[in-house]
Amino acid sequence: MPRAGVTAERLTLAAAELADEVGFANVTVSALARRFGVKDASLYSHVRNAHDLKVRVAVLALAELADRVGDAIAGRAGRDALVAFANAYRGYATDHPGRYAAAQVELDLDTLLAGAARRHADMTRAILRGYHLPEPAQTDAVRMLHSTFHGYVTLEHTGAFQHTARPAEESWRHTLNALDAALRHWPTDR
Amino acid sequence: MPRAGVTAERLTLAAAELADEVGFANVTVSALARRFGVKDASLYSHVRNAHDLKVRVAVLALAELADRVGDAIAGRAGRDALVAFANAYRGYATDHPGRYAAAQVELDLDTLLAGAARRHADMTRAILRGYHLPEPAQTDAVRMLHSTFHGYVTLEHTGAFQHTARPAEESWRHTLNALDAALRHWPTDR
DNA sequence: ACCATTTGCCTAACTGCTCTAGGATAGTAC
DNA sequence: GTACTATCCTAGAGCAGTTAGGCAAATGGT
């Protein structure tokens, strides 16, 4: 009987696809084994346990997201960069809801985290360069942007915006305008 | 043998407490039964299944959150109302992380949802009264505020802000200032 | 006070997912 | 070809969810 050719990488990728299809919460070792035509126990030679598998998907997702955002903001600045970043971010969450959900798991392993999460923070800071914010306002602005983007796509996907006629697309556009304005006139303090 | 006195209400409350202690994801029918000194199967006379239980906790949390926010903004307007709303929201999430997580489950039952979720939207609109935004800008602003609050507390609790020295508290204050400014100078369009 | 009904909780049993231990076999290296 | 290692297996444990069916405590009518 020929081998199925399971590797940690192929498992992670398949788990990511599975997540996008059935939701990250439903990504299970059993389901993954089924997809490979293999018994559950066989997967434990490649991943330590279910949590390990989920972390791998999270790291994959963070890297993909960073790639997409990085491409989008290349060569742009100021408002253009902000919009490009935001749309790339939201686009990834829409195209890959399962992967995006995976990216939100708590990553204790700062070593791995430092890799992908740092890239995100750095890119957000790159956007802000056009707005000339000094520290620590820059850090505050990074957090606000991240919060707004993450909050928006999360609420959008849980259906929180479906009870009003206004298209989510329109509100998104205007939210970005408001963010741009907020960054241009960042309040010194009070 | 005397009865344990289990009711749907007491189950829901106990599940909410359990959620705050061990996390919403770890709220399980078994754990709840254990806490009541009762067998798993006994709970199925009171709640339909595990999902039903979680929805009940979600509804409870939404109502509690709405109460707290409602109290906070009573008698306030403009910036004061915005800050009061935001702090009440964030405070609830901090005091009851499990309940707050529960409130984010997808509520398909629009009937039940309409009850609590409507209150939130209405209250957010109440804040905006001081900023004199016409529709549909008002809807956009509601969504932006909700997104920012939700995104911020979510990221804060998943530890996304712990890799920088800046206290989360400070960034929160300045984010609210920026939101206030954004609402006062809401971009008409472009 | 008695019996019927409802209700609360039980045992028993099945399913699906996680994970460990130990064994068979295919591919690789010499 | 023999030795080794990696891949996959079977077997089986434990735990969470769930259904079915039964007994006993509470309730309420007469």
Side-chain angles (χ1 to χ4, degrees):
Chain A
M1 45 287 287
R3 307 243 156 151
V6 178
T7 67
E9 287 70 34
R10 291 186 57 198
L11 274 185
T12 305
L13 196 56
E17 289 166 3
L18 190 59
D20 287 337
E21 289 168 22
V22 302
F24 183 60
N26 298 321
V27 171
T28 151
V29 176
S30 313
L32 203 55
R34 236 167 292 155
R35 176 165 290 214
F36 275 87
V38 160
K39 296 295 175 183
D40 302 15
S42 305
L43 300 193
Y44 288 87
S45 311
H46 306 281
V47 293
R48 209 192 335 252
N49 51 32
H51 182 253
D52 177 36
L53 177 66
K54 289 179 183 178
V55 169
R56 284 170 189 269
V57 176
V59 171
L60 170 70
L62 284 172
E64 286 181 351
L65 178 54
D67 285 346
R68 193 187 273 220
V69 169
D71 285 354
I73 63 172
R76 299 179 194 273
R79 189 181 185 280
D80 277 356
L82 175 69
V83 172
F85 186 118
N87 285 330
Y89 189 97
R90 178 161 172 253
Y92 185 78
T94 303
D95 294 348
H96 301 293
R99 284 162 153 100
Y100 183 77
Q104 310 307 322
V105 303
E106 201 163 344
L107 294 189
D108 2 338
L109 314 160
D110 305 57
T111 342
L112 293 178
L113 174 89
R118 256 222 114 62
R119 288 179 64 193
H120 288 157
D122 290 349
M123 288 190 301
T124 315
R125 283 206 149 70
I127 289 182
L128 293 178
R129 213 165 288 140
Y131 293 97
H132 308 101
L133 290 180
E135 284 293 5
Q138 208 177 33
T139 297
D140 297 340
V142 166
R143 290 174 174 178
M144 180 183 180
L145 289 180
H146 194 177
S147 296
T148 309
F149 297 162
H150 173 55
Y152 199 96
V153 305
T154 302
L155 293 176
E156 185 178 3
H157 288 133
T158 59
F161 297 160
Q162 293 177 354
H163 302 276
T164 312
R166 182 76 166 166
E169 193 61 36
E170 286 300 301
S171 295
W172 176 251
R173 269 187 47 240
H174 286 82
T175 295
L176 295 187
N177 285 339
L179 280 177
D180 173 58
L183 291 174
R184 275 188 284 104
H185 309 112
W186 191 262
T188 35
D189 209 334
R190 57 164 293 145
Chain B
M1 45 291 280
R3 309 236 157 155
V6 179
T7 67
E9 288 70 34
R10 292 186 55 198
L11 274 183
T12 306
L13 196 56
E17 289 167 3
L18 190 60
D20 287 337
E21 290 168 21
V22 302
F24 184 60
N26 297 322
V27 171
T28 152
V29 176
S30 312
L32 203 55
R34 238 165 312 185
R35 176 166 290 216
F36 274 88
V38 160
K39 296 294 176 183
D40 301 16
S42 306
L43 300 193
Y44 288 87
S45 312
H46 306 282
V47 294
R48 210 191 336 250
N49 51 34
H51 182 254
D52 178 35
L53 177 67
K54 289 179 182 177
V55 169
R56 284 170 190 269
V57 176
V59 172
L60 170 70
L62 284 172
E64 286 181 351
L65 178 54
D67 285 346
R68 193 187 272 222
V69 169
D71 285 353
I73 63 172
R76 299 178 195 273
R79 190 182 183 282
D80 278 354
L82 174 69
V83 171
F85 186 119
N87 285 331
Y89 189 96
R90 179 160 171 255
Y92 186 80
T94 304
D95 294 347
H96 301 293
R99 283 162 153 101
Y100 184 77
Q104 310 307 323
V105 303
E106 199 163 346
L107 295 190
D108 0 340
L109 314 159
D110 305 57
T111 344
L112 294 177
L113 174 88
R118 256 221 115 61
R119 289 178 64 194
H120 289 154
D122 290 348
M123 289 189 300
T124 314
R125 284 203 150 71
I127 291 182
L128 294 178
R129 214 164 285 141
Y131 294 97
H132 308 102
L133 290 180
E135 284 291 4
Q138 208 177 35
T139 297
D140 298 340
V142 166
R143 289 174 175 177
M144 180 183 179
L145 289 180
H146 194 177
S147 296
T148 310
F149 297 160
H150 174 54
Y152 199 95
V153 305
T154 303
L155 293 176
E156 185 178 2
H157 288 133
T158 58
F161 296 159
Q162 292 176 354
H163 301 277
T164 313
R166 182 76 166 164
E169 192 61 37
E170 286 300 298
S171 295
W172 175 251
R173 270 187 47 239
H174 287 81
T175 295
L176 295 187
N177 284 340
L179 281 177
D180 174 57
L183 291 174
R184 276 188 284 105
H185 310 111
W186 192 263
T188 35
D189 209 335
R190 55 164 295 144

